Amino acid sequence: MLYLVGLGLGDAADITVKGLQVVKSCSRVYLEAYTSVLTVGKEALEEYYGKELILADRDLVEQQADEILKDADVTDVAFLVVGDPFGATTHSDLVLRAVNAGIPYRVIHNASIMNAVGCCGLQLYNFGETVSLVFWTDTWRPESFYDKICKNRTAGLHTLCLLDIKVKEQSIENMMRGKKIYEPPRFMTVNQAADQLIQIIQRRREEGEELGMTEDTVCVGVARLGADDQAMRAATLSQLVSCDLGGPLHSLVVTGQLHPLEVDMLRVNAEPDALKDLRVMDGSTYCS
């Protein structure tokens, strides 16, 4: 049996009772280590679970998945994922490989950023399509996430923006030379995400394009959700450029239309004057 076990968002203790029972019973336990990270390391998890963990990087999961599935038809193998197992599309591929190989599988769910983000005060059923913001390079500056955010805002919906994680990544130079040399880990901050969005807004304004959001759009920066030191800040996009939310992981929410209850909840963690320019659309809806 292949078990896909969600670990939750905070530390080692966030695993469910059912998930911990599975981990303790499996002959091999893999820890997926590239789509997200916990606030504690592999050693802390091993101590809490009482089990040795095998780190599963992107190459192992996406290129050598057969190694993970080896003998899973006759023994139990666990694949641990920060958050919920299906928070990343790559894990669906692992399930399909198991099914095609005749290996049964079971999923042990847990909290993920996709539902925990509701703690910022925005109602989950008012969210539209989730987007990913990637680190720009000198030669690659995609903007498709901005267009999806604007599409959500046109429909009155909020947007959860998942921010880029670079773990065990190679430079293009080392990749071309076949050198297994990896860059230091990088985690995009809310500040960096806000700055990239503002650069897109400024460029499109100069081109005369009608804007779907501006520097004054109300957003919410969140950091380390589920941890004891989680942080949240409601602010305009321009204010978030200078907000320090501490260590990773960060996410950003761009608001759509706001219910009065959502506005009241945002005030709890709002920067000064962040909500002062909200416009009343009708008796029960606000926007920025």
Side-chain angles (χ1 to χ4, degrees), residues 68-208:
I68 297 173
L69 300 176
K70 183 180 178 181
D71 299 328
D73 54 338
V74 294
T75 189
D76 290 335
V77 176
F79 184 74
L80 311 185
V81 181
V82 176
D84 186 81
F86 288 109
T89 55
T90 185
H91 304 137
S92 297
D93 177 71
L94 186 62
V95 167
L96 291 173
R97 288 174 183 267
V99 170
N100 291 334
I103 297 170
Y105 74 94
R106 184 179 176 195
V107 181
I108 312 296
H109 293 286
N110 209 322
S112 80
I113 184 63
M114 303 293 285
N115 61 330
V117 72
C119 71
C120 76
L122 300 176
Q123 297 163 3
L124 290 178
Y125 55 79
N126 287 337
F127 278 74
E129 181 181 354
T130 298
V131 304
S132 296
L133 270 68
V134 297
F135 282 113
W136 280 347
T137 69
D138 293 338
T139 58
W140 188 58
R141 297 166 67 92
E143 298 184 0
S144 58
F145 52 83
Y146 170 83
D147 296 307
K148 291 179 179 179
I149 292 170
C150 294
K151 183 179 179 180
N152 282 341
R153 279 177 52 82
T154 299
L157 302 173
H158 313 311
T159 307
L160 171 60
C161 305
L162 304 178
L163 307 188
D164 204 1
I165 297 173
K166 298 292 188 185
V167 180
K168 203 175 180 182
E169 298 272 346
Q170 292 177 277
S171 67
I172 294 176
E173 181 181 359
N174 285 326
M175 196 180 302
M176 292 177 66
R177 293 181 177 181
K179 292 183 177 180
K180 292 291 185 179
I181 300 174
Y182 300 101
E183 300 294 297
R186 288 195 299 154
F187 306 94
M188 183 181 285
T189 65
V190 163
N191 318 64
Q192 292 169 317
D195 181 66
Q196 285 191 184
L197 281 167
I198 287 175
Q199 289 186 55
I200 295 172
I201 290 167
Q202 292 173 341
R203 187 186 66 77
R204 298 203 179 193
R205 180 183 289 122
E206 291 172 359
E207 294 179 354

Side-chain angles (χ1 to χ4, degrees), residues 189-195 198 233 235-246 250 271-272:
T189 65
V190 163
N191 318 64
Q192 292 169 317
D195 181 66
I198 287 175
R233 200 70 49 82
T236 64
L237 189 63
S238 58
Q239 286 176 322
L240 283 179
V241 173
S242 57
C243 276
D244 182 9
L245 296 182
H250 290 197
E271 285 285 290

